[in-house]
C-alpha cells in the first residue's frame, strides 16, 4: 500500500502550477452552490469546460500547442450576452452558459471517433454546430434534467427529461455515435440517442442506491458504472443504443465508489472510493491487479468504510496509459506511476478538491474545487519504453484478456501484456 499525507514532505516532488481560473464571487471561502463538481476537455483540444457554481458552466479555449488555457486570466471581463439569454462572451474567448440549475456533470461529445480523430471526419448528425466536426456539450443538472448545447452559438440542442434525481455523471460513447449515458441518484443509468432527437433508448437498473459515475471503454464494448454500497457494475454493450446487459459486478472496495476510468487501451479499469483507495482491475477477469492506498498504514475495512479525512474524490488515467492521478480530501493530488504503487511520483496541494481531468495531450491535469476554482498542474511525462508502447498497441487491438492468454507466446510475455508484471 502507498504511504500518504504524513509521508509527503519536502522530499516529495511537487507538480508545478501552470495556470488557474478563479471564480469571482463576493465573500470568502466555500459557499453552497459554488462547487466545481465536474470538468472536461473537448476531445478535439479546442475547449476546457467546468461547472463554476450558480447554474453556470464556463468554457475557455485550450491552447494545445502551449498546453495551457488560451486566454489572459488577468484581462478585464466585459461580458456580452447573446440573444437567447443563455450564453455570455467576455470578448477574450471565455464563454459562460447559464444552465438554469446547479450543474453536477459536463461531458463533450464528438461525431469523430477517438481512434480516427487524426485522419477522418464523419458528418452525419441531424444538427450542425458550424464546423466539420459535431462537438456537443452535455450538462447534467440537480433537477435530473440534461441539456445539450451548441457551444458556438450557446443554443440548446436537446432537453432530456426522464431522471428523477440529480445527474451525477455523463459519458459519451467514444465511437462518434453521439450516444450519451447518464448516471443519476435515482439508482439508474439511461442511454440517450442524440442522432434520434435525443430520445431515451434504454434504462439500466442494477444499483441499490445512488450512481456516482459511468464510463465507456475505448472500444465502446463495455460500460462501467459505480455508486453507493461499494457498487461497481460492468455492462456489456452488444449494440448501442438498446442492447446493453449487466455482465459483472466487481467486489473489492469498502465504501462508496465515486469515480471510474478505463485505461487508453481498454485493458485496465481504475476505480476510486471513499475507502481511501484506488483499485486497478482487469475488467475482463474481474481480478484486482494492484491497489493505490492513500493512508499508511492501510486502514481497517471498518475505518475505511466510514467517515475519514482521506476520501478519494476522483481518478483520471493519463492518455499514454503510464500514470493515474487522484484527488483526495487530505488536500493532495497524487500522480501515481502505473509501474510503482509504493509512493506517488509527484504531488500537488489543493484544498477542497473535487474533480480532475487530464488534457488530451496528457501534459496537464485540471482540478476543480469546492469554491468554483480550477487549477492546472504540469503532469509528469516521460518518453515511454518501447515495450510499454507496444503493449498499448496490442491491447487496443485485443483488450479481451482471455484472448491474450490463448496466444502462443512465452508466459512472461503474456503476463506483461496482461499487466501482471
Amino acid at each position: 500500500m502507498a504511504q500518504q499525507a504524513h509521508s509527503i514532505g519536502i522530499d516529495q516532488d511537487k507538480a508545478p502550477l501552470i495556470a488557474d481560473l478563479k471564480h469571482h464571487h463576493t465573500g470568502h471561502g466555500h459557499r453552497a452552490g459554488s462547487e466545481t463538481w465536474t470538468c472536461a476537455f473537448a476531445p478535439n483540444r479546442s475547449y476546457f469546460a467546468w461547472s463554476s457554481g450558480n447554474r453556470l458552466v464556463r468554457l475557455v479555449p485550450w491552447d494545445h500547442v502551449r498546453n495551457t488555457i488560451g486566454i489572459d486570466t488577468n484581462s478585464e471581463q466585459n461580458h456580452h450576452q447573446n440573444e437567447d439569454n443563455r450564453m455570455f462572451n467576455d470578448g477574450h474567448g471565455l464563454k459562460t452558459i447559464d444552465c438554469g440549475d446547479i450543474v453536477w456533470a459536463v461531458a463533450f461529445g464528438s461525431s469523430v471517433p477517438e481512434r480516427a480523430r487524426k485522419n477522418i471526419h464523419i458528418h452525419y448528425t441531424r444538427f450542425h454546430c458550424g464546423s466539420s466536426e459535431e462537438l456537443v456539450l452535455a450538462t447534467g443538472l440537480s433537477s435530473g434534467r440534461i441539456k445539450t448545447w451548441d457551444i458556438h452559438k450557446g443554443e440548446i440542442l436537446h432537453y432530456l427529461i426522464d431522471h428523477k434525481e440529480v445527474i451525477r455523471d455523463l459519458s459519451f460513447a467514444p465511437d462518434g455515435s453521439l450516444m450519451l449515458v447518464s448516471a443519476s441518484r435515482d439508482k439508474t443509468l439511461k442511454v440517450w440517442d442524440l442522432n434520434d432527437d435525443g430520445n431515451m433508448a434504454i434504462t439500466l437498473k442494477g444499483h441499490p442506491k445512488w450512481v456516482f459515475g459511468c464510463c465507456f471503454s475505448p472500444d465502446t464494448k463495455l460500460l462501467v458504472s459505480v455508486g453507493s454500497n461499494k457498487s461497481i457494475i460492468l455492462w456489456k454493450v452488444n449494440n448501442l443504443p438498446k442492447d446493453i446487459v449487466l455482465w459483472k459486478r466487481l467486489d473489492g472496495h469498502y465504501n462508496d465508489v465515486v469515480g471510474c476510468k478505463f485505461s487508453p487501451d481498454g485493458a485496465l479499469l481504475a476505480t476510486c472510493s471513499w475507502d481511501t483507495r484506488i483499485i486497478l482491475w482487469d475488467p475482463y477477469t474481474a481480478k484486482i491487479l494492484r491497489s493505490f492506498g492513500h493512508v499508511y498504514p492501510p486502514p481497517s475495512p471498518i475505518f475505511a468504510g466510514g467517515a475519514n479525512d482521506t476520501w478519494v474524490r476522483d481518478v483520471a488515467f493519463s492518455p499514454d496509459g503510464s500514470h493515474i492521478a487522484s484527488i483526495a480530501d487530505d488536500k493532495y493530488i497524487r500522480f501515481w506511476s502505473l509501474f510503482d504503487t509504493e509512493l506517488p511520483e509527484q504531488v500537488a496541494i489543493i484544498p477542497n478538491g473535487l474533480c480532475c481531468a487530464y488534457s488530451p495531450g496528457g501534459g496537464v491535469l485540471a482540478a476543480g474545487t469546492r469554491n468554483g476554482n480550477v487549477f492546472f498542474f504540469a503532469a509528469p511525462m516521460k518518453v515511454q519504453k518501447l515495450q510499454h508502447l507496444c503493449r498499448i498497441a496490442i491491447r487496443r487491438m485485443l483488450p479481451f484478456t482471455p484472448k491474450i492468454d490463448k496466444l502462443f507466446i512465452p508466459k512472461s510475455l503474456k503476463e506483461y501484456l496482461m499487466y501482471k508484471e
Side-chain angles (χ1 to χ4, degrees), residues 116-236:
R117 175 161 299 283
K118 294 183 179 181
N119 52 24
I120 68 167
H121 292 280
I122 298 175
H123 196 79
Y124 57 84
T125 62
R126 289 191 175 192
F127 44 87
H128 302 280
C129 296
S131 66
S132 58
E133 176 180 357
E134 308 295 354
L135 187 65
V136 180
L137 178 70
T139 56
L141 309 179
S142 62
S143 62
R145 311 292 175 88
I146 301 168
K147 294 180 180 181
T148 67
W149 302 84
D150 176 343
I151 62 174
H152 301 285
K153 300 178 181 178
E155 297 175 352
I156 293 179
L157 298 173
H158 304 95
Y159 192 30
L160 311 179
I161 303 173
D162 205 58
H163 280 294
K164 305 297 190 295
E165 295 286 346
V166 172
I167 304 297
R168 201 59 188 85
D169 200 10
L170 296 168
S171 179
F172 277 97
D175 61 358
S177 63
L178 289 174
M179 298 291 176
L180 175 67
V181 172
S182 55
S184 171
R185 286 183 181 176
D186 66 8
K187 309 177 187 179
T188 69
L189 299 102
K190 295 182 185 291
V191 181
W192 312 84
D193 186 354
L194 300 195
N195 285 314
D196 187 22
D197 297 326
N199 285 326
M200 196 272 289
I202 188 173
T203 298
L204 304 177
K205 298 180 179 180
H207 284 274
K209 291 187 177 180
W210 293 358
V211 189
F212 281 110
C214 59
C215 182
F216 278 103
S217 63
D219 63 359
T220 322
K221 299 297 184 182
L222 291 180
L223 172 69
V224 63
S225 58
V226 299
S228 301
N229 280 21
K230 318 167 194 176
S231 180
I232 307 173
I233 298 179
L234 283 168
W235 307 84
K236 195 169 185 179

Side-chain angles (χ1 to χ4, degrees), residues 160-372:
L160 311 179
I161 303 173
D162 205 58
H163 280 294
K164 305 297 190 295
E165 295 286 346
V166 172
I167 304 297
R168 201 59 188 85
D169 200 10
L170 296 168
S171 179
F172 277 97
D175 61 358
S177 63
L178 289 174
M179 298 291 176
L180 175 67
V181 172
S182 55
S184 171
R185 286 183 181 176
D186 66 8
K187 309 177 187 179
T188 69
L189 299 102
K190 295 182 185 291
V191 181
W192 312 84
D193 186 354
L194 300 195
N195 285 314
D196 187 22
D197 297 326
N199 285 326
M200 196 272 289
I202 188 173
T203 298
L204 304 177
K205 298 180 179 180
H207 284 274
K209 291 187 177 180
W210 293 358
V211 189
F212 281 110
C214 59
C215 182
F216 278 103
S217 63
D219 63 359
T220 322
K221 299 297 184 182
L222 291 180
L223 172 69
V224 63
S225 58
V226 299
S228 301
N229 280 21
K230 318 167 194 176
S231 180
I232 307 173
I233 298 179
L234 283 168
W235 307 84
K236 195 169 185 179
V237 182
N238 296 313
N239 188 28
L240 281 173
K242 293 187 177 181
D243 192 359
I244 304 174
V245 296
L246 196 156
W247 186 42
K248 292 181 180 180
R249 295 181 184 269
L250 305 183
D251 185 18
H253 282 293
Y254 304 132
N255 207 329
D256 294 351
V257 189
V258 294
C260 53
K261 289 293 186 299
F262 279 97
S263 61
D265 58 5
L268 302 173
L269 171 66
T271 58
C272 67
S273 169
W274 290 347
D275 68 3
T276 77
R277 295 182 300 157
I278 294 172
I279 292 180
L280 198 62
W281 308 81
D282 183 328
Y284 299 95
T285 63
K287 292 181 179 178
I288 297 176
L289 298 177
R290 62 200 65 148
S291 178
F292 301 85
H294 292 59
V295 174
Y296 182 83
S300 67
I302 294 177
F303 176 81
N308 58 73
D309 295 329
T310 320
W311 284 0
V312 185
R313 293 285 180 174
D314 202 4
V315 64
F317 242 113
S318 66
D320 66 358
S322 64
H323 289 84
I324 294 174
S326 63
I327 188 166
D329 281 351
D330 63 356
K331 303 180 182 179
Y332 279 100
I333 292 173
R334 292 168 172 84
F335 295 94
W336 306 90
S337 170
L338 196 64
F339 317 110
D340 181 12
T341 61
E342 291 303 316
L343 285 173
E345 186 173 320
Q346 285 187 345
V347 299
I349 298 175
I350 180 168
N352 300 314
L354 289 176
C355 62
C356 60
Y358 268 100
S359 64
V364 175
L365 184 83
T369 67
R370 285 189 177 275
N371 57 10

Side-chain angles (χ1 to χ4, degrees), residues 47-63:
Y47 283 98
F48 171 78
W50 80 104
S51 62
S52 60
N54 302 316
R55 314 183 312 181
L56 303 179
V57 169
R58 301 182 190 271
L59 298 94
V60 294
W62 184 253
D63 187 338

Side-chain angles (χ1 to χ4, degrees), residues 103-115:
V103 181
W104 283 78
V106 299
F108 282 100
S110 171
S111 63
V112 176
E114 286 295 316
R115 293 187 175 189

Side-chain angles (χ1 to χ4, degrees), residues 6 30 32 39 70 72 75 80 97 115 118 147-148 156 217 230 265 282 293 326 377 382 389 413:
H6 64 262
H30 164 63
C39 61
D72 180 7
S75 61
H80 303 285
I97 299 177
R115 293 187 175 189
K118 294 183 179 181
K147 294 180 180 181
T148 67
I156 293 179
S217 63
K230 318 167 194 176
D265 58 5
D282 183 328
S326 63
F377 296 93
K382 297 179 180 178
L389 298 177
L413 183 54

